[in-house]
Amino acid sequence: MSDQKLNKVINEIKDDTNPSSKGLYIIRYTGLALFVMGLLLFTYVMFMGPFELSKSSIEDSISNKQHRQAIAQQTTTMQQQSYTTVFSFIANLKPAIEEANETLDDGDRINDYKQGVYRLNIAKQASTGIIDSYSMLYFWLSIGLGCLGAIIFFLPKIWLRLPGIDNDHIYHNSAMSLGTIGWATGLYFIAFYVFIYWYPEYAVNWIKMVDPISMAIKGQPAGQWFLYGLLYTLAIVVMGVRMFIKYRHSKYHLVRTSSVMFFQTAFAFIIPELLVAFNKPYYDFKNIWPLDYDFFFDWQINTFVNSGSLGMFMLMWGIALTVVVVPVLTYFYGKRWYCSWVCGCGGLAETFGDPYRQLSDNSKSAWKLERWSVHSVLVLVTIMTIGVLYTYFTGSSSLLGIDTYNLRSWYGFLIGAAFAGVIGVGTYPILGNRPWCRFGCPLAAYLGLIQRFKSRFRITTNGGQCISCGNCSTYCEMGIDVRWYAQRGQNIVRSSCVGCGVCSSVCPRGVLKLENGPEEGRFNEPKAFTVHEDGVTVNGGIET
């Protein structure tokens, strides 16, 4: 296409008064409206009632006879009332369970975790309103409509934008530049994670909406983690469509996006749920210790051992992943084979989090904090796991004066839930799309150490071509100041680089290239000058 024709096409699609463009914008705004309607209904469903407690609700929710009888006795007055929302219902149920606990002998007491399970089960049984009768209808009107609206919003960009990465006006968009919408979105995500991780009893209406899907897949009612897994997978798939459109000019990104969508859908969601249907242990075949920090917990090992040959295969596969597969693949391909192609956390960051990648802090102080933080988590999970295995093999719960059960409990609360979930994903619109991967993921730290010191992967730079536009640094989700390396003609071998390749894609001069080559020459020295036929280039992009 000649420059004249190209400019004509660009002007036509930028002209929103053009009839064809105007129609596409109407479609986009319609999709946005549908998405907002779905989101509002999804939020409203949480507050819908009524909740009516019955004796059968308690019997169906609690298998322990002593617990069931004690709670039934303390909730007698509740069984005669109707509650308009889950919040008023839980406000009465929680103290009733605590009072029931006080009536039990010491050996029969209900621990905090079990009390939470009882609150969730009882609240779910007590939800008797319209959600209970029309759960699938509400699923399609909220989650389904939201997904459909998002896709309708994305699709017109195929015709409104030419192939190539378009980040026009990204810093003028309130949702993507720490504006009011961005902060509100972040707070919404954080609230969602707080409910899912620590107060799932308030999310029973959401859980009931996906009950039919859970029954169809595994023959059991849904729980909070089925709901979370389904929403997580839908987020990657729907936002993956956006990635296909945005990066449709690049085979690398198309294949990479397809990969994360496939591994999340098949290996992290469908297959583990089907295993439950066949009464086999729930297991994500792509999760690897130390990210899968409870892999060596006693209950997990016992489950594997007691599940026959498949269970033993899962145990051996998990160990082999950590000690053999990870080092070998990282040697050949760097950490990108996992962080940008397989990992569910990375998949969510690359798709759902892509609109926020430019918010990642690339300052030197952030880099220092990142190194201390992520490696501290790696040390902590290693100590915790040593304690867990020590307890498993010796039966003692004390190692050097440390209670190993408390250690694993605190790790799960602080790192597994608060850091990985609430901060790691909830703060996408505030801190960028990789806060967990940068500052908290112990597997990323493990992969990074191998990538830094024993790998064939590097991003090579042609400093003489760099024009210092800064696109590479702006859109590096890991906060790497890529331009600094490019200007010096220095290879990028940073341990934090996940090899997403966006720095190379947004470079207008083709300066950056992802390579897997011989280790020799990988750590090249920065060049002060480059001499060529046309003169001398001072590295930094200044030609003389």
Side-chain angles (χ1 to χ4, degrees):
M1 183 181 294
S2 67
D3 290 345
Q4 188 176 9
K5 288 184 177 179
L6 180 62
N7 289 331
K8 182 181 178 184
V9 171
I10 293 173
N11 290 332
E12 284 179 356
I13 60 179
K14 282 186 174 180
D15 182 8
D16 57 9
T17 62
N18 182 301
S20 59
S21 297
K22 193 174 182 179
L24 292 171
Y25 278 109
I26 291 174
I27 293 174
R28 270 176 64 80
Y29 294 140
T30 302
L32 181 61
L34 293 176
F35 171 78
V36 172
M37 288 167 61
L39 180 63
L40 289 175
L41 182 58
F42 177 77
T43 307
Y44 178 68
V45 163
M46 186 181 190
F47 299 91
M48 293 176 69
F51 286 78
E52 296 172 345
L53 185 62
S54 66
K55 190 175 180 180
S56 61
S57 302
I58 297 175
E59 290 177 350
D60 293 340
S61 305
I62 304 172
S63 58
N64 184 291
K65 184 178 179 181
Q66 286 80 12
H67 296 175
R68 186 169 61 240
Q69 290 177 342
I71 291 173
Q73 189 172 4
Q74 293 298 326
T75 55
T76 304
T77 55
M78 288 186 66
Q79 297 177 31
Q80 302 168 3
Q81 300 181 36
S82 178
Y83 298 87
T84 54
T85 70
V86 69
F87 293 93
S88 58
F89 180 78
I90 296 297
N92 286 271
L93 178 64
K94 185 178 180 182
I97 293 178
E98 291 172 348
E99 290 170 7
N101 199 31
E102 294 298 322
T103 67
L104 295 168
D105 296 333
D106 289 344
D108 295 325
R109 290 290 177 87
I110 313 169
N111 60 38
D112 291 342
Y113 171 77
K114 204 70 177 178
Q115 288 188 36
V117 173
Y118 288 165
R119 288 197 297 272
L120 172 60
N121 292 343
I122 294 173
K124 194 176 177 190
Q125 290 291 333
S127 176
T128 56
I130 194 170
I131 294 296
D132 188 51
S133 304
Y134 300 100
S135 52
M136 276 310 292
L137 175 63
Y138 274 85
F139 170 82
W140 288 115
L141 290 177
S142 57
I143 298 173
L145 190 63
C147 293
L148 177 65
I151 291 173
I152 292 175
F153 180 71
F154 299 143
L155 282 179
K157 277 221 165 184
I158 297 175
W159 301 279
L160 288 170
R161 294 289 184 270
L162 293 172
I165 299 176
D166 176 10
N167 288 315
D168 290 351
H169 303 294
I170 202 165
Y171 286 106
H172 299 141
N173 189 315
S174 175
M176 295 184 282
S177 60
L178 293 176
T180 303
I181 297 176
W183 278 98
T185 306
L187 292 175
Y188 188 93
F189 290 166
I190 290 171
F192 172 80
Y193 269 90
V194 168
F195 281 119
I196 286 293
Y197 274 108
W198 296 308
Y199 304 103
E201 60 267 30
Y202 294 101
V204 287
N205 283 341
W206 290 344
I207 297 171
K208 286 185 80 78
M209 280 198 308
V210 299
D211 261 347
I213 301 173
S214 179
M215 291 298 295
I217 294 177
K218 63 180 180 182
Q220 298 178 14
Q224 77 209 75
W225 300 121
F226 182 87
L227 168 70
Y228 180 59
L230 178 63
L231 293 178
Y232 199 103
T233 303
L234 287 174
I236 289 179
V237 171
V238 172
M239 291 299 282
V241 173
R242 174 183 175 275
M243 295 291 284
F244 283 144
I245 297 170
K246 182 175 181 180
Y247 295 100
R248 62 187 185 276
H249 64 292
S250 168
K251 289 183 180 178
Y252 181 83
H253 292 299
L254 293 177
V255 176
R256 187 170 66 86
T257 303
S258 301
S259 176
V260 295
M261 292 168 68
F262 168 74
F263 277 102
Q264 172 60 33
T265 305
F267 283 73
F269 184 62
I270 299 292
I271 293 177
E273 296 296 345
L274 288 177
L275 286 171
V276 175
F278 291 107
N279 203 26
K280 298 296 180 184
Y282 183 98
Y283 184 61
D284 181 348
F285 283 91
K286 65 176 181 51
N287 249 2
I288 305 170
W289 184 93
L291 176 61
D292 185 11
Y293 64 90
D294 60 2
F295 181 80
F296 292 106
F297 281 15
D298 47 4
W299 60 266
Q300 183 78 289
I301 294 177
N302 290 334
T303 302
F304 287 147
V305 172
N306 296 328
S307 298
S309 55
L310 180 59
M312 290 303 297
F313 170 77
M314 291 175 179
L315 180 61
M316 293 298 109
W317 171 249
I319 295 172
L321 275 175
T322 302
V323 300
V324 179
V325 177
V326 163
V328 171
L329 289 181
T330 307
Y331 170 74
F332 284 106
Y333 304 108
K335 64 195 289 187
R336 63 171 165 163
W337 75 269
Y338 187 76
C339 296
S340 291
W341 289 71
V342 174
C343 177
C345 305
L348 192 71
E350 293 296 329
T351 53
F352 188 67
D354 183 71
Y356 311 110
R357 60 169 51 243
Q358 70 281 354
L359 299 177
S360 297
D361 188 351
N362 60 10
S363 67
K364 196 170 183 178
S365 57
W367 182 22
K368 289 181 179 178
L369 175 63
E370 172 189 318
R371 286 184 295 174
W372 275 103
S373 176
V374 75
H375 293 116
S376 296
V377 174
L378 178 60
V379 171
L380 183 58
V381 73
T382 303
I383 294 173
M384 185 271 289
T385 303
I386 290 172
V388 165
L389 290 174
Y390 174 81
T391 299
Y392 181 78
F393 287 110
T394 67
S396 172
S397 60
S398 178
L399 177 61
L400 301 176
I402 301 173
D403 188 315
T404 58
Y405 286 102
N406 284 339
L407 185 60
R408 74 173 74 175
S409 177
W410 277 105
Y411 183 90
F413 173 76
L414 292 174
I415 307 299
F419 206 157
V422 178
I423 298 173
V425 180
T427 59
Y428 274 6
I430 301 168
L431 300 176
N433 62 329
R434 290 266 190 179
W436 164 246
C437 309
R438 290 185 66 186
F439 300 99
C441 178
L443 180 57
Y446 175 36
L447 290 160
L449 289 173
I450 300 171
Q451 174 170 279
R452 179 70 176 82
F453 298 107
K454 196 64 180 176
S455 175
R456 294 162 59 87
F457 174 71
R458 83 292 307 269
I459 299 177
T460 57
T461 59
N462 181 0
Q465 293 294 317
C466 179
I467 58 173
S468 300
C469 67
N471 277 346
C472 50
S473 296
T474 299
Y475 297 105
C476 176
E477 59 191 351
M478 297 303 288
I480 300 173
D481 189 359
V482 181
R483 180 176 58 179
W484 186 82
Y485 292 93
Q487 289 174 330
R488 294 154 57 91
Q490 187 174 0
N491 291 345
I492 301 169
V493 290
R494 284 269 289 269
S495 59
S496 57
C497 177
V498 294
C500 67
V502 169
C503 60
S504 175
S505 298
V506 297
C507 177
R509 300 293 297 273
V511 171
L512 303 160
K513 186 177 181 182
L514 281 68
E515 293 185 14
N516 303 308
E519 289 186 73
E520 185 179 353
R522 184 167 174 259
F523 293 92
N524 67 326
E525 292 295 327
K527 299 174 183 176
F529 301 95
T530 300
V531 180
H532 47 80
E533 293 180 351
D534 300 326
V536 178
T537 298
V538 179
N539 287 328
I542 303 171
E543 294 191 359
T544 62

